[in-house]
């Protein structure tokens, strides 16, 4: 397999490495990944995270195992096991479906390696296309609010929603970003703040519960978020707290955009209620990020509700920014995603 380099995923010298996003921003640590079990643990603990990136990390591992000589049966099981790791982000299922097609080819090793390289390079191009279309929606001086992390860390390219913000900054649009810290795992406060600082893009970190008053004070011009799965009717799942922002944006008449590659679109999923929502461990809510259980502020036996995602209905979305174009509610109601 060729050398493949992304911000949090790389394949060099026959070695697959992933950046531990759980330790960011204070420590950059790379894990060399050699097994399905290890990759499943990395994905489940969100050391490897981000809808596109999860699919690509699993893909590169399957291709690596094929080159290492694993049998077709072992590779088929690896694909099944990796696909089952997290249920919401459809990019993982998209990638594993592509790898299953490669696996039935006569020269399946070459087919798996070629597919992995294709999917990786495809995501780089999809990010560039989304970012360009998204940046065109940004006006000079915009204050843009974003949620969770959708940057280069979460993709093979420059990111989805944050990629559009990055591109707008590159175009000298002098934007400012409100960064939702994104409880409970703080992908915004830890990762988006980290990426924006590295790109020298002005930002202000806020708690999630501060977004509403900023909107009321007319301090937010647009909202850009990512997606983990877009249903055929335009409803979409994204990090929990996204729905809050969509309702608030509607009330305050603020443009609300979802930015995602076509690999996040699930045409077989009729609407948002059919999207499986991952439920996660209570420790993430009652502990401090990076030290789960070591510093619990809630009663240790507190009953906790911890869905990783929520669903935003299409009627709250101003536009869907995909690599193939920007789609309006009218487009989506006309069935453009079906
Ligand atoms: C471009 S990443 C899309 C999506 O994935 C993130 O979820 P997680 O951090 O749990 O992997 C988040 O929902 C992002 O918006």
């Amino acid at each position: 397999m060729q050398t493949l380099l992304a911000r949090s995923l790389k394949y060099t010298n026959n070695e697959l490495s992933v950046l531990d996003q759980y330790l960011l921003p204070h420590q950059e640590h790379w894990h060399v990944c050699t097994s399905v079990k290890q990759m499943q643990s990395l994905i489940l603990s969100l050391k490897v995270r981000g809808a596109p990136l999860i699919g690509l990390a699993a893909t590169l591992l399957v291709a690596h195992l094929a080159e290492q000589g694993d049998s077709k049966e072992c590779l088929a099981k690896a694909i099944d096991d990796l696909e089952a790791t997290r249920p919401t982000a459809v990019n993982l299922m998209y990638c594993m479906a592509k790898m299953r097609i490669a696996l039935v080819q006569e020269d399946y090793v070459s087919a798996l390696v070629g597919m992995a390289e294709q999917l990786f390079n495809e995501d780089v191009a999809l990010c560039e296309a989304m970012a360009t279309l998204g940046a065109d929606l940004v006006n000079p001086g915009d204050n843009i609010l974003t949620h969770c992390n959708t940057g280069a860390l979460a993709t093979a390219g420059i990111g989805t929603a944050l990629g559009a913000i990055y591109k707008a900054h590159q175009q000298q649009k002098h934007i400012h970003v409100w960064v939702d810290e994104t409880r409970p795992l703080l992908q915004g406060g830890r990762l988006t703040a980290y990426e924006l600082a590295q790109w020298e893009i002005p930002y202000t970190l806020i708690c999630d519960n501060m977004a509403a008053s900023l909107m009321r004070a007319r301090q937010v011009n647009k909202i850009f978020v990512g997606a983990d799965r877009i249903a055929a009717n335009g409803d979409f799942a994204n990090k929990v707290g996204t729905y809050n922002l969509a309702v608030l944006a509607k009330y305050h008449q603020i443009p609300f955009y979802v930015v995602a590659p076509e690999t996040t679109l699930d045409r077989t999923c009729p609407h948002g209620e059919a999207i499986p929502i991952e439920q996660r461990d209570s420790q993430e809510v009652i502990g401090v990020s990076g030290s789960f259980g070591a510093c619990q502020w809630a009663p240790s036996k507190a009953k906790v509700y911890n869905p990783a995602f929520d669903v935003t209905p299409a009627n709250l979305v101003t536009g869907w920014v995909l690599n193939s174009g920007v789609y309006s509610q009218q487009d989506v109601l006309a069935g453009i995603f079906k």
Side-chain angles (χ1 to χ4, degrees), residues 46 49-52 54 86 147-150 154-155 160 187 226-228 238-239 309:
L46 274 76
R49 53 142 305 275
I54 292 170
R86 291 184 77 191
H147 191 70
C148 199
N149 175 257
T150 58
T155 67
T160 61
Q187 288 95 322
D228 289 82
N238 194 52
K239 186 53 54 191
F309 305 101

Side-chain angles (χ1 to χ4, degrees), residues 4-6 8-12 15-19 30 60 120:
L4 299 166
L5 299 172
S8 64
L9 174 68
K10 61 186 176 184
Y11 194 83
T12 56
E15 211 169 61
L16 173 59
S17 303
V18 292
L19 180 62
W30 289 83
L60 295 192
F120 184 98

